[in-house]
Amino acid sequence: MDLIVITPQGLCNRRVPLVQKLLHKLCKVAIGLVAVLPGIPVVAEISSFESRIEPLLKKLCYDCHGDGASEGGLQFDVYGSVEELVANRQLWGPVWDNLLTETMPPADMPQPTRSERKTLSDWIARQVFGIDPMAPDPGRVTIRRLNREEYRYSVYDLLGVDFPVYDHFPADDTGYGFDTIGDVLTVPPPLMEKYFSAAEEIVSRIADPRELQPSKKNAAMIKAVFFDGAPPAEPGKRLKYARRIIEQLAERAFRRPVEETIVEKLVSLSTTDLEEEDASFEAAVGRALVAILVSPRFLYRAELQPAPDDPRQVHPLDEYALAARLSYFLWSSIPDRQLFDLAEQGQLRAELPQQVTRMMADPKSNRFVENFVGQWLRTRNVEGIFKAGDLRQQLGHLRPAMRRETEMLFAHVMRSDCDVIDLIAADYTFLDERLAEFYGIPGVEGKTARLVKLPADSPRGGVLAHAGVLLVTSSPNRTSPVKRGRFILDNILGTPALPPPPEVPAIEESIKGVTWKMSVREQLALHREDPVCASCHDRMDPLGLGMENFDAIGRWRDTDDGEPIDSSGQLASGEEFSGIGELRKILVGKRRLFYRCLTRKMMIYAIGRGIEYTDTPTIESIVDAMIDGKGRFSTMLLAVIQSPQFQSRRGGAAGAPRE
Amino acid sequence: MAFSQQFERRRFLRGAGACLALPLMESLVPSVQGVEVAARQAPLRAAFLAVPDGVNMERWRPKGVGLTYELNDTFAPLDSMRHMFQVFSGFAHRNAYAMQDGAGDHARANAVFLTGARPLKTAGANFRNGISVDQLAAQRIGHLTRIPSLQLGSEAGRSTGNCDSGYSCAYQLNLSWASPTMPLAPEPNPRAVFENLFGIGAPDQRQRNLRVRQQQRLSVLDFIAEDSRTISRRLGSNDRHKLDEYLTSVRSVEQQIDRSEQFTLAQTTMSCPDRIPEDHQTHLRVMFDLLVLAFQTDSTRLATFPLAHEGSNRSFPELGIDEGHHDLSHHKGQVENLEKIAKIDHFYVEQLAYFLQRLDAAKEPGGSSVLDNSMIVYGCAISDGHSHAHNDLPILLAGGGRGSLTPGRHVKVGEDVPMTNLYLSLLDRLGVEADRLGDSTGRLAGI
């Protein structure tokens, strides 16, 4: 396994005392109680709209979105009735987002006070989306198939076999940027065939007598399955031993106690073989094991609840399901013995903070780093992305070190419980000799990557100056300020630009008269002359242009094609800057946006669905806690884990089309 | 549940030996061995190949129509084979256009290419497309061969992160759709394709290995089918839908075993490829080699193969092109970019030529070539990449369709004719009756 080096703990940008107490009673869940969601959305209070909301809209928004103005297609005062306006969730959703992220009103317009923002936001939550803060809606999740990472680690933790999933299974479909989304994880027939052949291959390593000669390679595997050593000779005892092995494997693989009838059936798959005198004991057990590995109880994480078709009923997850959610979130795998035992005793919820601390300290949490960061910051792409011939050569074998730099920073922030803002603000990074050389940082020797405090004048530090991130946000042969700008909006600030209009405006019309070779900056400026383009590119381009001193593989450069690079600019939110250092400072100042963005990403990954408007209050409360709690990683992680979204389920509507 | 009953009945029928009553299939004997097939009519095959990001239409569009048309530059690799294919102008994929859904033309172009359906705009929840032409055929005629259909792939890894403009990556990366909610992932590993076609292990052990494995699967299949019905009863309707998908696939594994009892494993002298080649062209060609063998041995009659995923930003250093394909496709009307796009188009057509030559060289027992008895669709649901146009699509149809097609021509089918009309006509030839597919409005006469 490609594990990340665990770094010395403690160093963060601003030294934060290591957290001792992780307990946050952020989002209380009514444990053991069935919560009932409001059946009918709260009826719009016309009077509250007219007395409190309309005046605010008039003051703050009507310059562009009222009195005949309809910028971006939004106008508040063209609706037949207040009811009609209030019922229009498609209108209010983006309004709410823009309000919370302070994208609107624009920077050059008068700004609402904090309490005005809150008034509007609370009103939208309650009156438009019918959200009752006392009965949070956990949302609907779809039963989740293991993705191929989870399959790999589940098999590894269950049997000690490292099955080569990348050769065997196609990449999983993704949604919302992650491969943990229940809705898009399907089991088409060819995949079912592959589950069979994978199970058979895995079992052949256990049931093949040649593999059973104790060796370093298979010791873990044999111990995991044949925990009491070689099978006894006496047939009755053999059968008993087989039964115990099968029951234990099934329980761990299915992540909950297994009904007697199921165990019986699994055992009966083996008994025909067991009764034959010269049949291999291992092969007989292997037969049941194949069945376990292709069973829906293993391949899907079913979370059972009463009244699964009643969208109004909210139930806390049972403790086994909670253990599985935790272990797949942080370990991409089955719960270990301790989690399972706690669930069995009904003590897991009570011990959640301690367990989360323990899980983070376990090297298995490196899988969370690889899989979450791999997709959030796209480090999974670093090794495969196309690069033009000469750039590819210059990259040589640096790609793995680039991927690890980002993973190790995240792992460090996680384990040292730093302020997560370090992910963009860090004045340190993780380098081996060759990557340090690539960055022009002296004094790093050896093949092992380690924490390096950056020189004061270094442009590096934070993921936006990581070569891997710069690499995956560039085109094969050149940088793309648009891609980089969009990456920051999507993944750092969480304020995505609208997708481009489907009919790409004919830039060639404006370019046709141009005879000189234009720089990227000039081309983009020309592009922004079209107001349709400008509305989003005003937000993307300055961010990307501020990073132009990094080339398409992340090297520092002062010139591009002989011309000096101008990395100054002004963000759509008004701030002026020159170069990556100042840009970084501005982004670090947008702490609330970053906390919110990371919370949303973590929640999508953990829960396996997209973020809905009903999640907004939970997310805002986590962001508040982050601001109060010095941005510590553990604050966010625990808050996500203790949120109603993570802790409970509600039914879906029976017979209704899938929402 | 209707499905469960069907499943039960099927198992019962098998137990009663019903498969013995099936008519003797022409594919019972693998033709690669060249035995006793001469008297039978060769089977008809269909493959659907997709290229990404549109083409340089100025270098693609043929001059003139009918038999005397002139091939454009991009077709140079096919020059000596012009009697083997026809070029179409005038097809459109209406549902690839934005309408109310905004950007995301590459995701939509891939999703509609073989379905003609309107993909629901979502990054995940409730995603929905339509069934694809190859899968519609596979559901009707897939049982005639040992493998109902193949989905080949040409990319080892998948890019991570969000896909095109708010569409789940499922839309952009899967050409074949077994149902509106069941995309089939392309298989990029030639080894896996080989083992699927010819079995696992030493050549003389493969048939036995397969038998042993499949026999052992039977008892397990009973167990998991029953168990998933038990679980399903305790789930809500959304989750039940997922378990139904699982159960359908369990059933298809069972059918696969039935088929293996009917059809022997084809044999080949090709050795099993050990990994995914790093070089793009080598990779495409080994996949084409396998597809030729699959058709020739009548292991399957249906296949899809994206030569790169829609929106691909691959660069082509081997052609002296450092830019990414997708970056180039937004050519801004600049000659330099358009030249490079034409080079990439030429590269892909060259790979097609390789495939067609191999199909032509593969002889049927009766003396005709496999290409004579095939229908190979090649093209893209985008014509001009810069404007993301989805009409006047670049489409080519190769093969003789077992005498039912008239290759060697350039056919103007009209203006904005649904591409799915062509598919309905191909389905007719495959013996698959279908009234509609996606946005189809009828059949295409005169191909």
Side-chain angles (χ1 to χ4, degrees):
Chain A
M1 313 235 145
D2 185 13
L3 293 180
I4 298 154
V5 181
I6 297 175
T7 56
Q9 304 217 332
L11 181 97
C12 302
N13 248 10
R14 276 143 283 86
R15 285 181 177 271
V16 182
L18 206 69
V19 225
Q20 301 303 326
K21 284 170 70 185
L22 291 168
L23 191 63
H24 296 266
K25 291 274 182 189
L26 225 175
C27 314
K28 285 185 187 151
V29 182
I31 294 164
L33 291 173
V34 176
V36 176
L37 295 180
I40 310 153
V42 182
V43 178
E45 293 167 33
I46 294 171
S47 60
S48 79
F49 178 80
E50 287 174 345
S51 64
R52 292 165 52 222
I53 302 306
E54 202 173 21
L56 282 177
L57 295 178
K58 276 189 176 154
K59 181 170 109 184
L60 297 165
C61 314
Y62 273 32
D63 274 354
C64 305
H65 304 293
D67 295 332
S70 61
E71 292 266 312
L74 169 65
Q75 189 174 347
F76 288 104
D77 55 358
V78 287
Y79 288 84
S81 66
V82 173
E83 287 89 341
E84 196 188 323
L85 174 63
V86 171
N88 190 342
R89 291 188 177 185
Q90 276 177 329
L91 178 151
W92 289 105
V95 169
W96 199 11
D97 282 341
N98 286 329
L99 199 66
L100 291 170
T101 56
E102 305 187 12
T103 311
M104 286 283 159
D108 52 1
M109 299 296 283
Q111 297 294 305
T113 64
R114 256 190 97 79
S115 88
E116 284 172 337
R117 265 190 213 278
K118 190 165 163 29
T119 302
L120 282 168
S121 172
D122 289 352
W123 180 86
I124 295 172
R126 185 130 196 144
Q127 304 301 340
V128 178
F129 290 95
I131 296 169
D132 175 359
M134 299 318 289
D137 177 2
R140 179 188 68 73
V141 291
T142 300
I143 188 172
R144 222 158 96 184
R145 155 169 88 65
L146 304 188
N147 63 36
R148 64 177 181 176
E149 302 287 340
E150 293 167 339
Y151 183 93
R152 175 190 176 191
Y153 290 123
S154 298
V155 166
Y156 183 77
D157 292 344
L158 182 69
L159 303 168
V161 175
D162 190 9
F163 182 71
V165 289
Y166 310 111
D167 295 339
H168 196 83
F169 297 115
D172 296 290
D173 280 319
T174 59
Y176 311 98
F178 293 98
D179 60 5
T180 57
I181 307 302
D183 271 309
V184 296
L185 289 166
T186 53
V187 180
L191 185 58
M192 197 65 225
E193 288 275 343
K194 281 173 182 283
Y195 280 135
F196 265 97
S197 53
E200 286 152 2
E201 204 176 314
I202 290 162
V203 166
S204 77
R205 301 203 193 176
I206 291 160
D208 181 348
R210 280 164 306 180
E211 289 265 358
L212 283 175
Q213 300 308 317
S215 73
K216 227 177 165 181
K217 198 180 123 213
N218 63 12
M221 180 172 101
I222 291 169
K223 198 169 159 242
V225 179
F226 304 103
F227 47 83
D228 269 358
E234 198 257 304
K237 284 185 182 161
R238 274 167 82 89
L239 187 62
K240 258 193 188 150
Y241 184 33
R243 196 183 192 290
R244 279 173 52 221
I245 291 173
I246 290 166
E247 183 168 13
Q248 175 165 323
L249 288 175
E251 191 172 87
R252 293 208 60 209
F254 299 166
R255 304 166 287 261
R256 60 174 60 243
V258 182
E259 298 98 306
E260 194 66 12
T261 52
I262 301 294
V263 178
E264 282 313 320
K265 279 179 187 148
L266 284 167
V267 171
S268 75
L269 288 173
S270 301
T271 40
T272 3
D273 289 346
L274 277 173
E275 278 157 10
E276 286 173 29
E277 262 186 38
D278 56 343
S280 139
F281 180 79
E282 291 78 14
V285 170
R287 187 71 67 88
L289 185 51
V290 168
I292 290 172
L293 293 177
V294 297
S295 161
R297 294 173 193 254
F298 174 64
L299 296 173
Y300 288 94
R301 286 166 48 203
E303 297 171 333
L304 304 175
Q305 66 173 94
D309 281 326
D310 183 349
R312 294 182 55 227
Q313 282 201 32
V314 176
H315 297 268
L317 290 180
D318 72 62
E319 292 230 331
Y320 293 110
L322 181 63
R325 274 203 185 185
L326 270 178
S327 67
Y328 279 92
F329 179 26
L330 300 178
W331 290 345
S332 304
S333 183
I334 54 174
D336 68 354
R337 179 49 68 192
Q338 197 174 338
L339 287 173
F340 194 91
D341 288 348
L342 282 169
E344 198 161 41
Q345 296 149 19
Q347 291 299 310
L348 180 55
R349 259 199 185 80
E351 277 193 34
L352 214 45
Q354 296 91 312
Q355 285 303 311
V356 171
T357 308
R358 179 180 75 87
M359 292 176 78
M360 299 319 292
D362 191 305
K364 285 196 280 189
S365 61
N366 286 327
R367 302 163 184 176
F368 165 64
V369 178
E370 286 169 8
N371 291 333
F372 176 67
V373 179
Q375 298 180 84
W376 169 44
L377 297 175
R378 299 195 210 150
T379 49
R380 274 192 194 168
N381 289 1
V382 170
E383 286 171 66
I385 193 169
F386 298 113
K387 287 293 149 183
D390 58 326
L391 292 176
R392 191 165 162 172
Q393 299 227 314
Q394 281 147 20
L395 271 172
H397 299 290
L398 277 169
R399 293 187 194 223
M402 291 176 171
R403 171 175 59 75
R404 274 200 301 273
E405 181 189 14
T406 309
E407 291 174 347
M408 287 174 81
L409 173 61
F410 189 92
H412 171 81
V413 166
M414 175 174 99
R415 298 224 168 83
S416 302
D417 205 16
C418 297
D419 184 339
V420 296
I421 202 77
D422 271 20
L423 293 168
I424 50 177
D427 54 6
Y428 55 90
T429 194
F430 295 83
L431 306 173
D432 64 6
E433 182 172 338
R434 293 191 330 157
L435 188 54
E437 209 174 288
F438 187 78
Y439 284 176
I441 292 169
V444 181
E445 280 168 25
K447 286 182 179 167
T448 311
R450 58 183 171 80
L451 191 149
V452 176
K453 191 96 174 110
L454 291 165
D457 61 347
S458 172
R460 302 287 165 179
V463 297
L464 296 179
H466 283 192
V469 171
L470 295 160
L471 184 78
V472 298
T473 54
S474 296
S475 286
N477 63 323
R478 58 170 173 83
T479 61
S480 168
V482 177
K483 280 185 194 162
R484 285 182 180 167
R486 212 182 94 183
F487 178 83
I488 293 176
L489 291 181
D490 286 354
N491 297 301
I492 304 296
L493 298 177
T495 55
L498 289 172
E503 306 294 333
V504 177
I507 193 169
E508 59 270 31
E509 288 307 316
S510 44
I511 279 182
K512 267 178 187 162
V514 177
T515 48
W516 69 94
K517 193 170 187 278
M518 286 167 67
S519 69
V520 177
R521 181 175 277 271
E522 287 166 332
Q523 286 183 39
L524 288 171
L526 198 57
H527 190 205
R528 286 194 305 272
E529 279 178 13
D530 184 329
V532 179
C533 303
S535 62
C536 292
H537 280 269
D538 276 349
R539 297 174 54 211
M540 294 189 278
D541 298 356
L543 290 164
L545 288 167
M547 299 163 79
E548 273 290 274
N549 282 115
F550 297 112
D551 75 3
I553 56 173
R555 277 177 309 190
W556 181 264
R557 59 179 183 177
D558 292 309
T559 58
D560 181 19
D561 220 2
E563 295 294 315
I565 283 173
D566 174 5
S567 58
S568 64
Q570 182 177 17
L571 299 187
S573 43
E575 305 91 334
E576 288 182 45
F577 65 91
S578 175
I580 181 72
E582 291 182 22
L583 176 59
R584 183 190 289 117
K585 263 192 206 122
I586 295 169
L587 295 175
V588 169
K590 296 177 183 290
R591 180 175 301 256
R592 207 179 156 85
L593 290 181
F594 181 65
Y595 291 161
R596 182 186 290 109
C597 180
L598 183 53
T599 305
R600 288 169 65 99
K601 301 284 177 190
M602 209 179 273
M603 207 139 178
I604 294 170
Y605 178 82
I607 296 165
R609 62 165 170 82
I611 299 293
E612 308 279 344
Y613 281 112
T614 45
D615 300 320
T616 305
T618 301
I619 289 167
E620 291 309 306
S621 72
I622 294 175
V623 175
D624 290 340
M626 287 295 283
I627 296 284
D628 297 344
K630 299 201 171 68
R632 277 190 294 253
F633 186 89
S634 63
T635 305
M636 179 180 293
L637 186 72
L638 259 179
V640 167
I641 289 171
Q642 292 186 323
S643 71
Q645 282 78 355
F646 194 92
Q647 293 275 329
S648 52
R649 284 180 62 86
R650 74 155 159 85
R658 293 190 294 151
E659 278 169 44
Chain B
M1 224 183 321
F3 172 72
S4 312
Q5 284 159 9
Q6 204 182 353
F7 187 78
E8 284 306 325
R9 191 169 55 91
R10 184 169 170 80
R11 297 192 65 80
F12 169 75
L13 287 174
R14 193 185 60 201
C19 56
L20 293 177
L22 288 169
L24 185 68
M25 300 306 165
E26 53 199 19
S27 49
L28 271 173
V29 185
S31 56
V32 77
Q33 298 300 81
V35 282
E36 61 155 323
V37 199
R40 294 189 284 108
Q41 197 188 20
L44 180 59
R45 297 84 162 184
F48 301 86
L49 317 177
V51 285
D53 303 337
V55 301
N56 177 341
M57 288 303 290
E58 296 308 312
R59 300 293 191 82
W60 170 282
R61 210 173 272 125
K63 294 168 188 118
V65 288
L67 286 164
T68 57
Y69 79 107
E70 233 178 280
L71 278 175
N72 209 325
D73 298 351
T74 294
F75 289 89
L78 289 169
D79 203 28
S80 63
M81 309 168 71
R82 58 179 286 152
H83 59 290
M84 299 179 188
F85 63 89
Q86 46 196 319
V87 186
F88 294 114
S89 298
F91 281 125
H93 258 309
R94 188 170 63 86
N95 278 325
Y97 280 103
M99 300 189 221
Q100 308 305 313
D101 292 338
D105 284 87
H106 292 282
R108 272 195 303 268
N110 181 76
V112 306
F113 188 55
L114 299 182
T115 68
R118 184 76 188 164
L120 179 76
K121 183 149 197 183
T122 166
N126 313 319
F127 79 105
R128 192 172 185 84
N129 190 20
I131 188 170
S132 58
V133 55
D134 60 304
Q135 289 307 300
L136 188 61
Q139 284 166 15
R140 310 279 177 80
I141 62 166
H143 65 283
L144 300 177
T145 51
R146 197 175 60 79
I147 301 166
S149 68
L150 282 179
Q151 293 76 43
L152 305 179
S154 57
E155 287 159 318
R158 271 189 180 188
S159 157
T160 289
N162 281 310
C163 268
D164 196 0
S165 309
Y167 282 99
S168 160
C169 295
Y171 292 125
Q172 199 175 340
L173 303 176
N174 300 297
L175 265 185
S176 289
W177 290 71
S179 82
T181 54
M182 182 70 87
L184 303 180
E187 172 61 76
N189 190 345
R191 183 194 174 99
V193 177
F194 182 95
E195 291 181 343
N196 189 9
L197 289 170
F198 304 112
I200 296 170
D204 58 337
Q205 298 291 308
R206 286 173 188 160
Q207 185 69 48
R208 198 189 141 268
N209 289 346
L210 181 72
R211 281 272 145 78
V212 170
R213 272 192 171 201
Q214 299 206 317
Q215 280 313 309
Q216 293 181 344
R217 284 181 186 184
L218 281 172
S219 54
V220 173
L221 281 165
D222 284 335
F223 165 72
I224 57 175
E226 192 194 321
D227 196 28
S228 58
R229 282 192 292 269
T230 312
I231 300 170
S232 192
R233 278 195 284 274
R234 299 169 64 188
L235 297 174
S237 60
N238 282 299
D239 291 350
R240 219 156 40 230
H241 173 82
K242 284 280 173 193
L243 258 270
D244 283 350
E245 280 176 6
Y246 170 89
L247 207 49
T248 307
S249 295
V250 167
R251 182 167 162 249
S252 89
V253 172
E254 197 212 12
Q255 290 167 333
Q256 194 63 38
I257 295 174
D258 285 353
R259 276 193 295 272
S260 297
E261 286 164 5
Q262 293 168 47
F263 307 115
T264 45
L265 211 47
Q267 295 176 37
T268 182
T269 52
M270 181 182 180
S271 52
C272 182
D274 62 347
R275 68 166 72 85
I276 299 177
E278 277 181 28
D279 173 64
H280 189 35
Q281 173 169 306
T282 313
H283 188 188
L284 293 175
R285 291 189 174 193
V286 70
M287 299 310 266
F288 278 135
D289 290 345
L290 288 165
L291 184 49
V292 171
L293 284 173
F295 279 174
Q296 191 180 15
T297 58
D298 203 25
S299 297
T300 191
R301 297 176 189 175
L302 299 162
T304 57
F305 188 19
L307 305 192
H309 74 271
E310 185 51 66
S312 161
N313 208 27
R314 172 183 288 280
S315 60
F316 291 78
E318 65 275 23
L319 307 177
I321 297 173
D322 281 345
E323 293 88 342
H325 190 183
H326 176 252
D327 290 343
L328 278 173
S329 76
H330 290 283
H331 50 72
K332 304 173 186 145
Q334 289 172 354
V335 178
E336 202 185 326
N337 294 341
L338 284 161
E339 280 304 313
K340 288 179 176 165
I341 295 170
K343 263 193 183 173
I344 295 173
D345 299 343
H346 184 275
F347 166 83
Y348 281 123
V349 168
E350 223 167 39
Q351 310 319 312
L352 172 68
Y354 172 84
F355 177 48
L356 297 184
Q357 274 155 6
R358 296 294 308 267
L359 281 176
D360 190 44
K363 295 300 174 199
E364 308 268 23
S368 58
S369 77
V370 177
L371 183 58
D372 292 333
N373 304 311
S374 294
M375 306 187 290
I376 313 293
V377 174
Y378 173 96
C380 183
I382 297 177
S383 48
D384 176 49
H386 183 61
S387 57
H388 288 153
H390 303 297
N391 63 348
D392 195 20
L393 298 176
I395 303 295
L396 178 154
L397 174 64
R402 205 165 58 187
S404 70
L405 297 173
T406 322
R409 303 174 303 157
H410 172 217
V411 184
K412 264 205 82 78
V413 294
E415 288 284 316
D416 294 348
V417 175
M419 179 77 189
T420 41
N421 288 7
L422 171 66
Y423 297 153
L424 283 189
S425 301
L426 301 186
L427 287 171
D428 282 344
R429 288 164 171 78
L430 288 167
V432 176
E433 272 182 49
D435 297 332
R436 289 199 60 161
L437 180 72
D439 62 344
S440 67
T441 55
R443 283 162 167 75
L444 202 69
I447 54 168

